[in-house]
């Protein structure tokens, strides 16, 4: 390996690190796994990435375990951003953000979402922005087909991506964007690597058209498997390979440039915060809320609320002292209302509109329909008043991670998604499993999409707790299948759900996923042990040993 890295050093313009501090720092993402890389590479230019891919291809025969794992901020919860060979860190140099043109965001993949948020300001937004927006990169959002509070309206990243540049396994960079029939046929006729790639993917989808379309989970958001069902549409004649690259977790190629749709915000918004004391009523309440078409519909449980109250001081740096003091005062008032008894669930239901009275009438109508549940509610107008709740909701997992010291917040059933109309049947079945396996868990998520982040607190280093992972997954898969849902609405497969792809999609579709991987990456140089290359045994052998890294 040392010789290989020396050879690479001579042709690679960016930095290469093999220091034990860096290898340790890059051995984790936000998942329950750890993989220590041989080296971390910081590419300066797309040429660097092309050189690297070409070189890895050339020497793969001599170094069979050699591979490249692209990485953004490393907040992936599935183990997608770690690798035991070469990790390619995009956050050091791939950080160019083009001036915003009022329509699309054009960025290199290492640009932090918080940088984009600052540019979009209060007037625009990205539809797929995740709750980890203060930490993550746009490249990671594309890699995972991320979603978030606004996905209810705008879907996951795949629906926002307009154009990508990708370095494929032949070591060249290509523009990937939607093609019409004529453009597709021209591309296929090229007969070169790119042309063959389009031909093979087209033929694979065309000859399995109905089964692929039927395999799509029946939910608004999904990031499991390869998005084959969204690539080719016989009716529109559009062939869009961006759909396949988005959500592929760096297993099909390395994204070097991203064009993503931005959306103009409505001038006003209002948040109805609803405090639910009886979780048994939750399912019915969700049905009523959904019938009012909110723009976002999020929620978190009492454990999260309590952590937010207890550790609100940790927001001081992020908010600045003045804003922090203001929100702290609001929080004290809120908490006082409940004395010692916090509500089981806090629901955040957002409406937007052209005028404040527009929003008030939407909120009044919903409150009228919710009256029979006798819930406490508050109404927050515009961003500054609702910020307190958004801060707690968005920080729910990091609060759990950083503040609960004796247990590890372990994401493995963290992204279950079903159609909202099944929630009243689905949630009790999931609760039974959580109870049976004694998994104290927090629940937060995108309630309007039927997307639940259930994060058990475990002693993940303890074999007794580890032994719960497989039976719990085994119990949950048939429930999710029964309701036509997905194990991952937005957190993707990685090492935790990759091994469950055959169980979720059936062997025929799984084989199509495998063929897809092999069309793009016949030598398996990109991000191994994820998606179709994952195995439960490998994943279990690499459960993180140190909870607190
Ligand atoms: C507190 C917290 C809250 C979260 N909330 C959400 C949420 O609401 N919604 C959501 O979707 N996710 C959420 N996540 C998961 C994660 O933050 C997001 O998926 C995020 O978009 C990942 O971005 P990242 O920059 O950290 O990417 P990374 O974790 O570095 O990478 C993510 C994946 O993309 C691949 N990748 C990265 N860069 C490239 C590239 N240039 N080319 C090809 N592949 C690439 C990686 O290999 C990896 O498989 C959350 C995580 C945490 C810790």
């Amino acid at each position: 390996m040392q010789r290989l890295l020396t050879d690479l050093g001579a042709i690679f313009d960016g930095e290469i690190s093999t220091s034990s501090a860096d290898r340790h720092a890059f051995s984790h993402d936000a998942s329950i796994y750890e993989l220590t890389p041989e080296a971390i590479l910081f590419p300066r230019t797309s040429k660097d990435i092309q050189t690297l891919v070409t070189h890895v291809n050339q020497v793969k025969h001599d170094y069979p375990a050699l591979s490249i794992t692209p990485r953004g901020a490393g907040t992936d919860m599935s183990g997608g951003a770690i690798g035991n060979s070469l990790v390619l860190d995009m956050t050091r140099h791939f950080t160019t953000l083009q001036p915003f043109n009022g329509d699309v965001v054009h960025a290199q993949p290492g640009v932090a979402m918080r940088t984009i948020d600052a540019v979009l300001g209060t007037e625009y937004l990205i539809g797929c922005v995740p709750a980890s927006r203060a930490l993550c990169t746009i490249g990671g959002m594309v890699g995972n087909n991320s979603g978030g509070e606004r996905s209810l309206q705008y879907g996951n990243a795949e629906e926002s991506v307009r154009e990508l540049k990708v370095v494929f396994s032949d070591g060249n960079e290509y523009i990937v964007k939607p093609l019409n029939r004529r453009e597709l046929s021209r591309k296929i006729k090229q007969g070169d690597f790119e042309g063959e790639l389009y031909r093979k993917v087209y033929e694979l989808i065309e000859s399995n058209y109905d089964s692929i379309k039927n395999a799509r989970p029946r939910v608004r958001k999904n990031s499991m498997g390869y998005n084959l069902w969204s690539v080719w549409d016989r009716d529109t004649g559009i062939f869009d390979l961006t759909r396949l690259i988005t959500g592929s977790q760096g297993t099909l190629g390395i994204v070097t440039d991203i064009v993503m749709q931005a959306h103009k915000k409505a001038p006003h918004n209002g948040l109805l915060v609803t405090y639910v004391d009886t979780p048994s009523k939750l399912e019915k309440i969700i049905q009523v809320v959904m019938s009012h078409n909110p723009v976002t519909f999020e929620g978190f449980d009492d454990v999260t609320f309590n952590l937010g109250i207890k550790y609100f001081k940790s927001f001081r740096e992020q908010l600045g002292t003045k804003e922090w003091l203001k929100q702290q005062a609001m929080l004290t008032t809120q908490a006082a209302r409940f004395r010692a008894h916090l509500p089981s669930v806090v629901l955040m239901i957002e409406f937007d509109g052209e005028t404040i009275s527009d929003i008030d009438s939407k909120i009044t109508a919903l409150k009228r329909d919710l009256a029979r549940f006798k819930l406490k509610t508050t109404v927050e107008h515009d961003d500054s008043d609702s910020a307190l709740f958004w801060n707690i909701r968005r920080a729910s997992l990091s609060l759990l991670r950083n503040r609960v010291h004796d247990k590890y917040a372990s994401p493995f059933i963290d992204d279950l998604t079903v159609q909202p109309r099944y929630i009243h049947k689905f949630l009790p079945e999931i609760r039974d499993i959580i109870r049976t396996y004694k998994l104290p868990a927090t629940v937060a998520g995108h309630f309007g999409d039927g997307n639940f982040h259930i994060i058990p607190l475990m002693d993940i280093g303890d074999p007794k707790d580890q032994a719960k992972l497989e039976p719990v997954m085994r119990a949950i898969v048939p429930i999710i299948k029964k309701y036509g849902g997905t194990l991952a609405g937005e957190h993707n497969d990685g090492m935790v759900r990759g091994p469950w792809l055959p169980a979720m999609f059936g062997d025929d579709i799984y084989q199509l996923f495998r063929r897809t991987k092999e069309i793009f990456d016949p030598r398996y140089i990109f991000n191994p042990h994820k998606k179709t290359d994952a195995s439960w045994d490998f994943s279990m052998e690499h459960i993180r040993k140190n909870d607190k890294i």
Side-chain angles (χ1 to χ4, degrees):
M1 179 54 78
Q2 195 45 53
R3 216 186 97 209
L4 170 94
L5 291 174
T6 310
D7 291 349
L8 253 180
I11 49 175
F12 191 81
D13 202 26
E15 305 84 10
I16 300 177
S17 170
T18 54
S19 78
S20 49
D22 278 345
R23 291 176 62 215
H24 183 68
F26 282 84
S27 64
H28 297 89
D29 49 17
S31 71
I32 55 175
Y33 304 108
E34 63 189 358
L35 288 176
T36 306
E38 297 272 2
I40 303 96
L41 288 84
F42 303 89
R44 230 173 248 289
T45 58
S46 165
K47 191 91 203 98
D48 259 354
I49 298 178
Q50 296 174 48
T51 303
L52 172 70
V53 171
T54 306
H55 193 71
V56 166
N57 255 325
Q58 279 163 0
V59 299
K60 175 81 176 169
H61 184 71
D62 300 327
Y63 300 89
L66 193 62
S67 65
I68 308 164
T69 296
R71 177 171 168 121
T75 63
D76 189 297
M77 294 165 77
S78 73
I82 49 176
N84 51 10
S85 183
L86 309 179
V87 164
L88 195 66
D89 176 71
M90 305 299 286
T91 62
R92 189 176 286 183
H93 301 300
F94 270 73
T95 53
T96 303
L97 176 61
Q98 302 292 338
F100 180 54
N101 65 3
D103 180 27
V104 292
V105 166
H106 186 173
Q108 288 188 314
V111 175
M113 187 58 221
R114 61 178 177 277
T115 309
I116 297 172
D117 266 338
V119 169
L120 296 180
T122 51
E123 271 189 71
Y124 292 89
L125 58 87
I126 291 271
C128 59
V129 64
S132 53
R133 65 201 292 163
L135 308 167
C136 74
T137 64
I138 189 168
M141 286 159 57
V142 172
N144 273 350
N145 193 14
S146 284
E149 59 215 33
R150 284 288 175 154
S151 294
L152 190 58
Q153 221 181 346
Y154 298 114
N156 279 14
E158 60 170 313
E159 291 183 41
S160 291
V161 169
R162 294 289 161 263
E163 188 175 311
L164 299 171
K165 283 188 189 152
V166 188
V167 175
F168 285 136
S169 61
D170 68 335
N172 290 317
E173 180 181 72
Y174 298 97
I175 292 175
V176 179
K177 60 181 184 181
L179 304 179
N180 62 29
R181 279 179 206 275
R182 201 168 346 107
E183 290 164 329
L184 172 65
S185 126
R186 221 181 294 139
K187 190 73 86 182
I188 288 174
K189 280 192 192 124
Q190 284 174 196
D192 53 9
F193 178 89
E194 187 192 23
E196 280 300 279
L197 198 128
Y198 276 82
R199 180 183 67 75
K200 287 176 187 167
V201 175
Y202 171 73
E203 285 177 3
L204 183 116
I205 299 175
E206 183 53 41
S207 54
N208 299 280
Y209 194 81
D210 291 337
S211 38
I212 285 175
K213 292 281 178 191
N214 289 332
R216 176 190 207 130
R218 302 273 179 270
V219 279
R220 175 84 177 94
K221 54 203 293 210
N222 168 61
S223 67
M224 275 199 98
Y226 287 123
N227 261 330
L228 285 169
W229 37 77
S230 303
V231 175
W232 167 232
D233 188 329
R234 281 179 185 161
D235 296 333
T236 61
I238 297 295
F239 186 91
D240 185 358
L241 215 52
T242 67
R243 297 279 186 150
L244 189 53
I245 304 302
T246 305
S248 63
Q249 291 201 301
T251 61
L252 304 181
I254 295 165
V255 175
T256 51
D257 193 71
I258 297 163
V259 178
M260 195 179 267
Q261 188 67 53
H263 303 278
K264 195 144 173 54
K265 280 188 194 170
H268 298 281
N269 61 63
L271 191 72
L272 178 68
V273 185
T274 305
Y275 307 92
V276 182
D277 265 321
T278 28
S280 56
K281 291 189 191 154
L282 188 60
E283 290 79 24
K284 294 227 165 57
I285 294 169
I286 290 174
Q287 281 173 6
V288 172
V289 173
M290 286 305 287
S291 69
H292 285 256
N293 296 319
V295 287
T296 66
F297 179 13
E298 303 280 300
F300 54 83
D301 65 359
D302 47 350
V303 183
T304 312
F305 196 11
N306 197 26
L307 283 168
I309 294 171
K310 219 163 145 195
Y311 298 110
F312 202 71
K313 54 181 176 295
S314 63
F315 289 96
R316 189 171 188 150
E317 199 182 333
Q318 179 195 328
L319 298 177
T321 301
K322 198 168 153 215
E323 179 60 22
W324 176 76
L325 283 171
K326 183 180 146 203
Q327 290 191 22
Q328 172 79 56
M330 286 166 68
L331 185 60
T332 309
T333 315
Q334 289 292 342
R337 301 180 65 199
F338 301 106
R339 300 205 179 86
H341 184 70
L342 289 177
S344 315
V345 180
V346 177
L347 297 178
M348 300 162 56
I349 307 149
E350 189 182 17
F351 294 95
D352 65 13
E354 291 303 311
T355 61
I356 293 182
S357 71
D358 202 9
I359 291 162
D360 280 343
S361 56
K362 290 179 189 175
I363 289 182
T364 306
L366 174 58
K367 278 174 78 172
R368 202 170 36 234
D369 282 0
L370 289 175
R372 64 186 155 113
F373 298 106
K374 299 188 174 36
L375 306 168
K376 281 197 179 111
T377 57
T378 52
V379 178
E380 315 293 338
H381 279 112
D382 287 328
D383 289 344
S384 66
D385 290 341
S386 56
L388 165 67
F389 296 95
W390 286 115
N391 283 329
I392 296 178
R393 163 65 191 96
R394 289 173 190 152
S396 50
L397 183 65
S398 21
L399 283 170
L400 213 58
R401 271 275 148 80
N402 302 332
R403 305 291 159 183
V404 178
H405 290 295
D406 54 339
K407 298 273 186 213
Y408 183 73
S410 307
F412 73 105
I413 49 169
D414 49 298
D415 204 19
L416 309 178
T417 309
V418 295
Q419 281 179 43
R421 68 190 163 115
Y422 295 130
I423 288 173
H424 64 293
K425 293 183 183 163
F426 159 80
L427 271 186
E429 291 178 51
I430 298 299
R431 274 196 215 109
D432 277 351
I433 296 173
I434 291 174
R435 223 176 290 126
T436 307
Y437 288 92
K438 297 189 176 56
L439 294 173
T442 61
V443 181
H446 315 289
F447 286 44
D449 290 310
N451 182 196
F452 293 92
H453 300 321
I454 300 168
I455 316 276
L457 288 167
M458 300 171 83
D459 186 354
I460 198 66
D462 181 349
K464 271 205 237 120
D465 268 6
Q466 288 178 13
K468 294 177 182 175
L469 300 179
E470 185 172 346
V472 170
M473 289 296 271
R474 263 190 210 295
I476 278 179
V477 165
I479 297 174
I480 295 287
K481 282 180 77 167
K482 182 169 63 179
Y483 298 121
T486 174
L487 295 174
E490 53 189 28
H491 295 174
N492 219 294
D493 296 325
M495 294 164 70
V496 73
R497 281 170 287 268
W500 299 91
L501 285 169
M504 277 303 298
F505 288 93
D507 197 51
D508 289 351
I509 295 296
Y510 177 69
Q511 291 309 329
L512 297 179
F513 289 160
R514 283 195 66 123
R515 279 167 60 192
T516 304
K517 166 74 178 169
E518 286 174 4
I519 290 170
F520 281 84
D521 184 21
R523 293 188 186 161
Y524 283 74
I525 62 170
F526 292 131
N527 211 3
H529 312 298
K530 323 288 151 54
K531 294 250 171 206
T532 55
D533 193 34
S535 88
W536 188 252
D537 286 349
F538 181 89
S539 298
M540 287 303 290
E541 281 158 22
H542 293 88
I543 300 266
R544 57 162 73 214
K545 292 193 180 58
N546 185 344
D547 292 2
K548 286 300 160 197
I549 296 175

